[in-house]
PDB file of all heavy atoms in Angstrom:
ATOM      1  N   LYS F  10      -6.037  -5.628   5.145  1.00 98.00           N
ATOM      2  CA  LYS F  10      -6.892  -5.668   6.327  1.00 98.00           C
ATOM      3  C   LYS F  10      -7.095  -4.262   6.918  1.00 98.00           C
ATOM      4  O   LYS F  10      -6.377  -3.305   6.577  1.00 98.00           O
ATOM      5  CB  LYS F  10      -6.278  -6.570   7.374  1.00 98.00           C
ATOM      6  CG  LYS F  10      -6.267  -8.036   7.003  1.00 98.00           C
ATOM      7  CD  LYS F  10      -5.634  -8.805   8.174  1.00 98.00           C
ATOM      8  CE  LYS F  10      -5.626 -10.299   7.913  1.00 98.00           C
ATOM      9  NZ  LYS F  10      -5.015 -11.002   9.074  1.00 98.00           N
ATOM     10  N   PRO F  11      -8.070  -4.155   7.847  1.00 98.00           N
ATOM     11  CA  PRO F  11      -8.399  -2.860   8.442  1.00 98.00           C
ATOM     12  C   PRO F  11      -7.192  -2.079   9.019  1.00 98.00           C
ATOM     13  O   PRO F  11      -7.132  -0.878   8.848  1.00 98.00           O
ATOM     14  CB  PRO F  11      -9.412  -3.207   9.519  1.00 98.00           C
ATOM     15  CG  PRO F  11     -10.144  -4.401   8.954  1.00 98.00           C
ATOM     16  CD  PRO F  11      -9.034  -5.182   8.273  1.00 98.00           C
ATOM     17  N   ASP F  12      -6.265  -2.756   9.672  1.00 97.00           N
ATOM     18  CA  ASP F  12      -5.152  -1.991  10.247  1.00 97.00           C
ATOM     19  C   ASP F  12      -4.302  -1.354   9.161  1.00 97.00           C
ATOM     20  O   ASP F  12      -3.855  -0.197   9.336  1.00 97.00           O
ATOM     21  CB  ASP F  12      -4.306  -2.840  11.211  1.00 97.00           C
ATOM     22  CG  ASP F  12      -3.718  -4.077  10.576  1.00 97.00           C
ATOM     23  OD1 ASP F  12      -4.452  -4.819   9.889  1.00 97.00           O
ATOM     24  OD2 ASP F  12      -2.514  -4.343  10.811  1.00 97.00           O
ATOM     25  N   ALA F  13      -4.077  -2.002   8.063  1.00 98.00           N
ATOM     26  CA  ALA F  13      -3.289  -1.422   6.961  1.00 98.00           C
ATOM     27  C   ALA F  13      -4.070  -0.284   6.327  1.00 98.00           C
ATOM     28  O   ALA F  13      -3.499   0.771   5.968  1.00 98.00           O
ATOM     29  CB  ALA F  13      -2.967  -2.465   5.910  1.00 98.00           C
ATOM     30  N   MET F  14      -5.382  -0.424   6.194  1.00 98.00           N
ATOM     31  CA  MET F  14      -6.218   0.625   5.623  1.00 98.00           C
ATOM     32  C   MET F  14      -6.199   1.851   6.528  1.00 98.00           C
ATOM     33  O   MET F  14      -6.047   2.982   6.066  1.00 98.00           O
ATOM     34  CB  MET F  14      -7.661   0.126   5.397  1.00 98.00           C
ATOM     35  CG  MET F  14      -7.766  -1.019   4.437  1.00 98.00           C
ATOM     36  SD  MET F  14      -7.246  -0.621   2.753  1.00 98.00           S
ATOM     37  CE  MET F  14      -8.547   0.490   2.261  1.00 98.00           C
ATOM     38  N   GLN F  15      -6.352   1.632   7.808  1.00 97.00           N
ATOM     39  CA  GLN F  15      -6.427   2.735   8.774  1.00 97.00           C
ATOM     40  C   GLN F  15      -5.086   3.479   8.867  1.00 97.00           C
ATOM     41  O   GLN F  15      -5.038   4.664   9.139  1.00 97.00           O
ATOM     42  CB  GLN F  15      -6.854   2.234  10.148  1.00 97.00           C
ATOM     43  CG  GLN F  15      -8.297   1.734  10.152  1.00 97.00           C
ATOM     44  CD  GLN F  15      -8.638   0.829  11.303  1.00 97.00           C
ATOM     45  OE1 GLN F  15      -7.794   0.497  12.128  1.00 97.00           O
ATOM     46  NE2 GLN F  15      -9.871   0.395  11.335  1.00 97.00           N
ATOM     47  N   ARG F  16      -3.995   2.772   8.585  1.00 97.00           N
ATOM     48  CA  ARG F  16      -2.667   3.372   8.659  1.00 97.00           C
ATOM     49  C   ARG F  16      -2.200   3.884   7.286  1.00 97.00           C
ATOM     50  O   ARG F  16      -1.053   4.274   7.128  1.00 97.00           O
ATOM     51  CB  ARG F  16      -1.666   2.358   9.183  1.00 97.00           C
ATOM     52  CG  ARG F  16      -1.943   1.997  10.674  1.00 97.00           C
ATOM     53  CD  ARG F  16      -1.044   0.905  11.163  1.00 97.00           C
ATOM     54  NE  ARG F  16       0.342   1.215  10.988  1.00 97.00           N
ATOM     55  CZ  ARG F  16       1.326   0.296  10.927  1.00 97.00           C
ATOM     56  NH1 ARG F  16       1.029  -1.002  11.030  1.00 97.00           N
ATOM     57  NH2 ARG F  16       2.581   0.657  10.764  1.00 97.00           N
ATOM     58  N   ALA F  17      -3.095   3.891   6.283  1.00 98.00           N
ATOM     59  CA  ALA F  17      -2.793   4.376   4.934  1.00 98.00           C
ATOM     60  C   ALA F  17      -1.595   3.629   4.301  1.00 98.00           C
ATOM     61  O   ALA F  17      -0.740   4.246   3.657  1.00 98.00           O
ATOM     62  CB  ALA F  17      -2.540   5.898   4.950  1.00 98.00           C
ATOM     63  N   LEU F  18      -1.598   2.319   4.448  1.00 98.00           N
ATOM     64  CA  LEU F  18      -0.526   1.487   3.898  1.00 98.00           C
ATOM     65  C   LEU F  18      -0.989   0.703   2.657  1.00 98.00           C
ATOM     66  O   LEU F  18      -0.221  -0.093   2.113  1.00 98.00           O
ATOM     67  CB  LEU F  18      -0.006   0.514   4.963  1.00 98.00           C
ATOM     68  CG  LEU F  18       0.748   1.154   6.114  1.00 98.00           C
ATOM     69  CD1 LEU F  18       1.039   0.104   7.207  1.00 98.00           C
ATOM     70  CD2 LEU F  18       2.043   1.801   5.644  1.00 98.00           C
ATOM     71  N   ALA F  19      -2.213   0.907   2.215  1.00 98.00           N
ATOM     72  CA  ALA F  19      -2.724   0.112   1.084  1.00 98.00           C
ATOM     73  C   ALA F  19      -1.858   0.232  -0.160  1.00 98.00           C
ATOM     74  O   ALA F  19      -1.566  -0.783  -0.811  1.00 98.00           O
ATOM     75  CB  ALA F  19      -4.170   0.515   0.772  1.00 98.00           C
ATOM     76  N   GLY F  20      -1.463   1.423  -0.504  1.00 98.00           N
ATOM     77  CA  GLY F  20      -0.633   1.605  -1.700  1.00 98.00           C
ATOM     78  C   GLY F  20       0.714   0.892  -1.586  1.00 98.00           C
ATOM     79  O   GLY F  20       1.175   0.269  -2.528  1.00 98.00           O
ATOM     80  N   GLU F  21       1.325   0.958  -0.415  1.00 98.00           N
ATOM     81  CA  GLU F  21       2.570   0.266  -0.163  1.00 98.00           C
ATOM     82  C   GLU F  21       2.401  -1.245  -0.305  1.00 98.00           C
ATOM     83  O   GLU F  21       3.209  -1.926  -0.935  1.00 98.00           O
ATOM     84  CB  GLU F  21       3.109   0.614   1.235  1.00 98.00           C
ATOM     85  CG  GLU F  21       4.383  -0.110   1.584  1.00 98.00           C
ATOM     86  CD  GLU F  21       5.617   0.332   0.800  1.00 98.00           C
ATOM     87  OE1 GLU F  21       5.654   1.499   0.376  1.00 98.00           O
ATOM     88  OE2 GLU F  21       6.507  -0.515   0.612  1.00 98.00           O
ATOM     89  N   VAL F  22       1.329  -1.762   0.274  1.00 98.00           N
ATOM     90  CA  VAL F  22       1.055  -3.201   0.226  1.00 98.00           C
ATOM     91  C   VAL F  22       0.898  -3.644  -1.214  1.00 98.00           C
ATOM     92  O   VAL F  22       1.572  -4.593  -1.690  1.00 98.00           O
ATOM     93  CB  VAL F  22      -0.185  -3.572   1.064  1.00 98.00           C
ATOM     94  CG1 VAL F  22      -0.620  -5.005   0.796  1.00 98.00           C
ATOM     95  CG2 VAL F  22       0.075  -3.333   2.533  1.00 98.00           C
ATOM     96  N   ILE F  23       0.016  -3.002  -1.957  1.00 98.00           N
ATOM     97  CA  ILE F  23      -0.237  -3.369  -3.374  1.00 98.00           C
ATOM     98  C   ILE F  23       1.017  -3.211  -4.211  1.00 98.00           C
ATOM     99  O   ILE F  23       1.346  -4.078  -5.047  1.00 98.00           O
ATOM    100  CB  ILE F  23      -1.400  -2.544  -3.947  1.00 98.00           C
ATOM    101  CG1 ILE F  23      -2.717  -2.794  -3.174  1.00 98.00           C
ATOM    102  CG2 ILE F  23      -1.588  -2.836  -5.439  1.00 98.00           C
ATOM    103  CD1 ILE F  23      -3.215  -4.222  -3.167  1.00 98.00           C
ATOM    104  N   SER F  24       1.754  -2.138  -3.994  1.00 98.00           N
ATOM    105  CA  SER F  24       2.946  -1.920  -4.819  1.00 98.00           C
ATOM    106  C   SER F  24       4.022  -3.001  -4.581  1.00 98.00           C
ATOM    107  O   SER F  24       4.747  -3.355  -5.505  1.00 98.00           O
ATOM    108  CB  SER F  24       3.520  -0.532  -4.598  1.00 98.00           C
ATOM    109  OG  SER F  24       4.132  -0.421  -3.315  1.00 98.00           O
ATOM    110  N   ARG F  25       4.092  -3.533  -3.389  1.00 98.00           N
ATOM    111  CA  ARG F  25       5.082  -4.605  -3.123  1.00 98.00           C
ATOM    112  C   ARG F  25       4.768  -5.821  -3.967  1.00 98.00           C
ATOM    113  O   ARG F  25       5.686  -6.464  -4.492  1.00 98.00           O
ATOM    114  CB  ARG F  25       5.060  -5.016  -1.663  1.00 98.00           C
ATOM    115  CG  ARG F  25       5.511  -3.954  -0.700  1.00 98.00           C
ATOM    116  CD  ARG F  25       7.003  -4.101  -0.360  1.00 98.00           C
ATOM    117  NE  ARG F  25       7.394  -3.165   0.658  1.00 98.00           N
ATOM    118  CZ  ARG F  25       7.831  -3.504   1.865  1.00 98.00           C
ATOM    119  NH1 ARG F  25       7.988  -4.755   2.194  1.00 98.00           N
ATOM    120  NH2 ARG F  25       8.177  -2.570   2.740  1.00 98.00           N
ATOM    121  N   TYR F  26       3.499  -6.165  -4.108  1.00 98.00           N
ATOM    122  CA  TYR F  26       3.138  -7.319  -4.933  1.00 98.00           C
ATOM    123  C   TYR F  26       3.427  -7.043  -6.405  1.00 98.00           C
ATOM    124  O   TYR F  26       3.947  -7.889  -7.129  1.00 98.00           O
ATOM    125  CB  TYR F  26       1.656  -7.670  -4.788  1.00 98.00           C
ATOM    126  CG  TYR F  26       1.237  -8.043  -3.385  1.00 98.00           C
ATOM    127  CD1 TYR F  26       0.140  -7.415  -2.801  1.00 98.00           C
ATOM    128  CD2 TYR F  26       1.905  -8.991  -2.641  1.00 98.00           C
ATOM    129  CE1 TYR F  26      -0.275  -7.750  -1.522  1.00 98.00           C
ATOM    130  CE2 TYR F  26       1.506  -9.333  -1.359  1.00 98.00           C
ATOM    131  CZ  TYR F  26       0.405  -8.701  -0.805  1.00 98.00           C
ATOM    132  OH  TYR F  26       0.010  -9.024   0.465  1.00 98.00           O
ATOM    133  N   GLU F  27       3.115  -5.817  -6.860  1.00 97.00           N
ATOM    134  CA  GLU F  27       3.378  -5.472  -8.253  1.00 97.00           C
ATOM    135  C   GLU F  27       4.882  -5.480  -8.526  1.00 97.00           C
ATOM    136  O   GLU F  27       5.323  -6.002  -9.569  1.00 97.00           O
ATOM    137  CB  GLU F  27       2.802  -4.124  -8.575  1.00 97.00           C
ATOM    138  CG  GLU F  27       1.287  -4.112  -8.706  1.00 97.00           C
ATOM    139  CD  GLU F  27       0.761  -2.813  -9.186  1.00 97.00           C
ATOM    140  OE1 GLU F  27       1.019  -1.784  -8.537  1.00 97.00           O
ATOM    141  OE2 GLU F  27       0.086  -2.810 -10.228  1.00 97.00           O
ATOM    142  N   ARG F  28       5.685  -4.914  -7.639  1.00 97.00           N
ATOM    143  CA  ARG F  28       7.135  -4.904  -7.828  1.00 97.00           C
ATOM    144  C   ARG F  28       7.700  -6.290  -7.819  1.00 97.00           C
ATOM    145  O   ARG F  28       8.739  -6.554  -8.434  1.00 97.00           O
ATOM    146  CB  ARG F  28       7.804  -4.016  -6.784  1.00 97.00           C
ATOM    147  CG  ARG F  28       7.549  -2.527  -6.996  1.00 97.00           C
ATOM    148  CD  ARG F  28       8.474  -1.644  -6.237  1.00 97.00           C
ATOM    149  NE  ARG F  28       8.637  -1.986  -4.843  1.00 97.00           N
ATOM    150  CZ  ARG F  28       8.089  -1.323  -3.835  1.00 97.00           C
ATOM    151  NH1 ARG F  28       7.307  -0.288  -4.028  1.00 97.00           N
ATOM    152  NH2 ARG F  28       8.319  -1.710  -2.593  1.00 97.00           N
ATOM    153  N   ARG F  29       7.036  -7.198  -7.136  1.00 96.00           N
ATOM    154  CA  ARG F  29       7.464  -8.596  -7.109  1.00 96.00           C
ATOM    155  C   ARG F  29       7.238  -9.251  -8.469  1.00 96.00           C
ATOM    156  O   ARG F  29       7.860 -10.262  -8.795  1.00 96.00           O
ATOM    157  CB  ARG F  29       6.675  -9.346  -6.014  1.00 96.00           C
ATOM    158  CG  ARG F  29       7.021 -10.771  -5.830  1.00 96.00           C
ATOM    159  CD  ARG F  29       7.950 -10.935  -4.674  1.00 96.00           C
ATOM    160  NE  ARG F  29       8.522 -12.255  -4.649  1.00 96.00           N
ATOM    161  CZ  ARG F  29       8.813 -12.917  -3.561  1.00 96.00           C
ATOM    162  NH1 ARG F  29       8.604 -12.387  -2.384  1.00 96.00           N
ATOM    163  NH2 ARG F  29       9.373 -14.101  -3.644  1.00 96.00           N
ATOM    164  N   GLY F  30       6.314  -8.665  -9.268  1.00 95.00           N
ATOM    165  CA  GLY F  30       6.031  -9.221 -10.580  1.00 95.00           C
ATOM    166  C   GLY F  30       4.656  -9.818 -10.727  1.00 95.00           C
ATOM    167  O   GLY F  30       4.327 -10.376 -11.780  1.00 95.00           O
ATOM    168  N   LEU F  31       3.846  -9.730  -9.681  1.00 96.00           N
ATOM    169  CA  LEU F  31       2.493 -10.254  -9.744  1.00 96.00           C
ATOM    170  C   LEU F  31       1.555  -9.273 -10.443  1.00 96.00           C
ATOM    171  O   LEU F  31       1.723  -8.067 -10.322  1.00 96.00           O
ATOM    172  CB  LEU F  31       2.000 -10.555  -8.320  1.00 96.00           C
ATOM    173  CG  LEU F  31       2.811 -11.645  -7.620  1.00 96.00           C
ATOM    174  CD1 LEU F  31       2.548 -11.608  -6.118  1.00 96.00           C
ATOM    175  CD2 LEU F  31       2.520 -13.005  -8.188  1.00 96.00           C
ATOM    176  N   LYS F  32       0.583  -9.798 -11.136  1.00 95.00           N
ATOM    177  CA  LYS F  32      -0.402  -8.986 -11.854  1.00 95.00           C
ATOM    178  C   LYS F  32      -1.696  -8.916 -11.043  1.00 95.00           C
ATOM    179  O   LYS F  32      -2.151  -9.937 -10.519  1.00 95.00           O
ATOM    180  CB  LYS F  32      -0.716  -9.578 -13.232  1.00 95.00           C
ATOM    181  CG  LYS F  32       0.476  -9.695 -14.147  1.00 95.00           C
ATOM    182  CD  LYS F  32       0.935  -8.368 -14.621  1.00 95.00           C
ATOM    183  CE  LYS F  32       2.022  -8.535 -15.676  1.00 95.00           C
ATOM    184  NZ  LYS F  32       2.831  -7.366 -15.808  1.00 95.00           N
ATOM    185  N   ILE F  33      -2.297  -7.765 -11.007  1.00 97.00           N
ATOM    186  CA  ILE F  33      -3.618  -7.602 -10.405  1.00 97.00           C
ATOM    187  C   ILE F  33      -4.647  -7.972 -11.457  1.00 97.00           C
ATOM    188  O   ILE F  33      -4.706  -7.363 -12.512  1.00 97.00           O
ATOM    189  CB  ILE F  33      -3.845  -6.151  -9.929  1.00 97.00           C
ATOM    190  CG1 ILE F  33      -2.836  -5.767  -8.896  1.00 97.00           C
ATOM    191  CG2 ILE F  33      -5.279  -6.003  -9.391  1.00 97.00           C
ATOM    192  CD1 ILE F  33      -2.804  -4.258  -8.583  1.00 97.00           C
ATOM    193  N   VAL F  34      -5.462  -9.003 -11.173  1.00 96.00           N
ATOM    194  CA  VAL F  34      -6.496  -9.420 -12.112  1.00 96.00           C
ATOM    195  C   VAL F  34      -7.893  -9.061 -11.597  1.00 96.00           C
ATOM    196  O   VAL F  34      -8.880  -9.200 -12.338  1.00 96.00           O
ATOM    197  CB  VAL F  34      -6.418 -10.894 -12.506  1.00 96.00           C
ATOM    198  CG1 VAL F  34      -5.094 -11.182 -13.219  1.00 96.00           C
ATOM    199  CG2 VAL F  34      -6.590 -11.816 -11.302  1.00 96.00           C
ATOM    200  N   GLY F  35      -7.980  -8.604 -10.360  1.00 98.00           N
ATOM    201  CA  GLY F  35      -9.228  -8.124  -9.797  1.00 98.00           C
ATOM    202  C   GLY F  35      -8.918  -7.362  -8.522  1.00 98.00           C
ATOM    203  O   GLY F  35      -8.017  -7.749  -7.783  1.00 98.00           O
ATOM    204  N   MET F  36      -9.640  -6.270  -8.278  1.00 98.00           N
ATOM    205  CA  MET F  36      -9.412  -5.521  -7.062  1.00 98.00           C
ATOM    206  C   MET F  36     -10.624  -4.661  -6.777  1.00 98.00           C
ATOM    207  O   MET F  36     -11.223  -4.075  -7.698  1.00 98.00           O
ATOM    208  CB  MET F  36      -8.175  -4.629  -7.186  1.00 98.00           C
ATOM    209  CG  MET F  36      -7.819  -3.906  -5.910  1.00 98.00           C
ATOM    210  SD  MET F  36      -6.138  -3.238  -5.849  1.00 98.00           S
ATOM    211  CE  MET F  36      -6.154  -2.081  -7.195  1.00 98.00           C
ATOM    212  N   LYS F  37     -10.999  -4.593  -5.476  1.00 98.00           N
ATOM    213  CA  LYS F  37     -12.109  -3.720  -5.077  1.00 98.00           C
ATOM    214  C   LYS F  37     -11.971  -3.294  -3.614  1.00 98.00           C
ATOM    215  O   LYS F  37     -11.447  -4.068  -2.794  1.00 98.00           O
ATOM    216  CB  LYS F  37     -13.439  -4.380  -5.329  1.00 98.00           C
ATOM    217  CG  LYS F  37     -13.688  -5.701  -4.678  1.00 98.00           C
ATOM    218  CD  LYS F  37     -15.079  -6.220  -5.041  1.00 98.00           C
ATOM    219  CE  LYS F  37     -15.127  -7.717  -5.153  1.00 98.00           C
ATOM    220  NZ  LYS F  37     -16.413  -8.237  -5.562  1.00 98.00           N
ATOM    221  N   LEU F  38     -12.414  -2.090  -3.373  1.00 98.00           N
ATOM    222  CA  LEU F  38     -12.544  -1.591  -2.024  1.00 98.00           C
ATOM    223  C   LEU F  38     -13.917  -1.991  -1.550  1.00 98.00           C
ATOM    224  O   LEU F  38     -14.903  -1.784  -2.268  1.00 98.00           O
ATOM    225  CB  LEU F  38     -12.405  -0.063  -2.021  1.00 98.00           C
ATOM    226  CG  LEU F  38     -12.600   0.631  -0.666  1.00 98.00           C
ATOM    227  CD1 LEU F  38     -11.471   0.263   0.281  1.00 98.00           C
ATOM    228  CD2 LEU F  38     -12.650   2.146  -0.896  1.00 98.00           C
ATOM    229  N   MET F  39     -13.989  -2.589  -0.360  1.00 98.00           N
ATOM    230  CA  MET F  39     -15.286  -3.119   0.094  1.00 98.00           C
ATOM    231  C   MET F  39     -15.342  -3.212   1.607  1.00 98.00           C
ATOM    232  O   MET F  39     -14.302  -3.190   2.280  1.00 98.00           O
ATOM    233  CB  MET F  39     -15.519  -4.506  -0.515  1.00 98.00           C
ATOM    234  CG  MET F  39     -14.542  -5.559  -0.044  1.00 98.00           C
ATOM    235  SD  MET F  39     -14.754  -7.173  -0.783  1.00 98.00           S
ATOM    236  CE  MET F  39     -16.346  -7.667  -0.178  1.00 98.00           C
TER     237      MET F  39
END
């Protein structure tokens, strides 16, 4: 969401899901 984007937390958010073991099957900035 916008607050995470504005606070430069996008990488942290995505990496938490990946470290959990989930696969990214689609992603876009929009």
Side-chain angles (χ1 to χ4, degrees):
K10 292 181 178 180
D12 58 313
M14 298 298 290
Q15 292 161 359
R16 293 175 55 203
L18 292 172
E21 178 69 29
V22 169
I23 299 299
S24 71
R25 294 265 186 117
Y26 300 129
E27 287 186 303
R28 288 196 312 255
R29 182 99 193 213
L31 297 163
K32 301 289 187 202
I33 299 169
V34 297
M36 185 164 61
K37 57 181 146 182
L38 177 67
M39 65 182 296

